[in-house]
Amino acid sequence: MTPVRGLGENLMRGHALMEGAATPAIAVVRGIEAGQLSAPTPCSEYDVHKLLNHVLFWGPSLESAARKEVFPPPADSDRDVDLVDAGWADTYERQSRRIAASWSQPEAWEGLTQLGSPMDLPASMIGGMVMGEFVVHGWDLARASGQQVMWDDDVLAFVYQEVEKTAEQGREMGVYAERVPVPADAPVLDQILGLTGRDPTWAPT
């Protein structure tokens, strides 16, 4: 496998990279046209509308976790509420910028926090997950809507490291599908996607 810059050494902490993870994802969502909301995504259970609803559903909880606060989701499941209204792109951008700003504070990554429930979790794990959500779901939505998206190498190296730590646990919890093998010399983004059970060559049919 091609060496991934930053692995092991983790030269830049997550707080310094969060804005760089969020900004390309925001541009992707801004580029989605209303007529594409019913398009399939690499997440087999979600079309574009449902995937946008998923990220809008969990966004406030992710933001609150940076402040060590509990923000219960608005329903038991993102299937029980539809948050994709006429202003969904503006809502996503505002929410994503708040999340990124909150997790750009070094103290957000310290100690324990909660994610929608009183159960304590390592804040650094949640921060890594937040960054991974921007990258992976940003890619999902880009592919679904025919857009190209790129992140800086430092962002992708950090996300790879975080996803590698939790991929098997994610599979046990049903968050990720089975790992998709990718070539040993594949780009880091492709390696991330394979770890999360995504085929980097996926395209709408």
Side-chain angles (χ1 to χ4, degrees):
M1 179 178 292
T2 302
V4 178
R5 181 183 176 191
L7 287 185
E9 298 177 352
N10 194 18
L11 297 177
M12 295 186 67
R13 293 189 62 192
H15 75 272
L17 299 170
M18 190 61 75
E19 293 282 355
T23 298
I26 291 169
V28 166
V29 171
R30 282 287 185 192
I32 297 172
E33 300 176 1
Q36 296 175 313
L37 290 175
S38 61
T41 76
C43 299
S44 59
E45 298 183 1
Y46 293 93
D47 60 15
V48 171
H49 184 119
K50 290 178 180 177
L51 187 53
L52 286 169
N53 189 62
H54 171 77
V55 295
L56 292 173
F57 179 87
W58 283 105
S61 296
L62 297 178
E63 179 189 351
S64 295
R67 299 191 299 269
K68 311 296 191 294
E69 298 172 357
V70 177
F71 187 98
D76 290 337
S77 165
D78 58 17
R79 291 173 174 80
D80 298 330
V81 62
D82 188 355
L83 303 172
V84 184
D85 57 19
W88 52 267
D90 291 335
T91 301
Y92 177 83
E93 178 167 1
R94 288 194 299 269
Q95 174 176 288
S96 296
R97 294 203 183 280
R98 290 195 305 268
I99 293 170
S102 297
W103 283 100
S104 293
Q105 306 305 312
E107 59 269 22
W109 296 73
E110 299 171 355
L112 300 173
T113 190
Q114 302 83 33
L115 184 59
S117 77
M119 183 175 67
D120 286 336
L121 298 165
S124 59
M125 183 184 78
I126 301 303
M129 186 185 74
V130 170
M131 195 178 299
E133 289 277 296
F134 279 130
V135 170
V136 174
H137 286 325
W139 180 86
D140 289 333
L141 292 167
R143 277 302 172 98
S145 57
Q147 300 181 67
Q148 297 294 321
V149 61
M150 296 179 63
W151 285 270
D152 290 344
D153 290 346
D154 287 328
V155 171
L156 295 178
F158 189 93
V159 170
Y160 179 90
Q161 183 181 28
E162 293 302 304
V163 172
E164 189 179 41
K165 292 177 186 175
T166 60
E168 292 308 315
Q169 182 181 3
R171 262 180 275 284
E172 293 173 2
M173 297 172 61
V175 176
Y176 297 145
E178 288 302 309
R179 181 172 185 168
V180 174
V182 298
D185 59 350
V188 179
L189 178 57
D190 288 5
Q191 295 177 29
I192 293 168
L193 298 171
L195 282 174
T196 65
R198 288 164 169 78
D199 180 355
T201 68
W202 185 94
T205 57

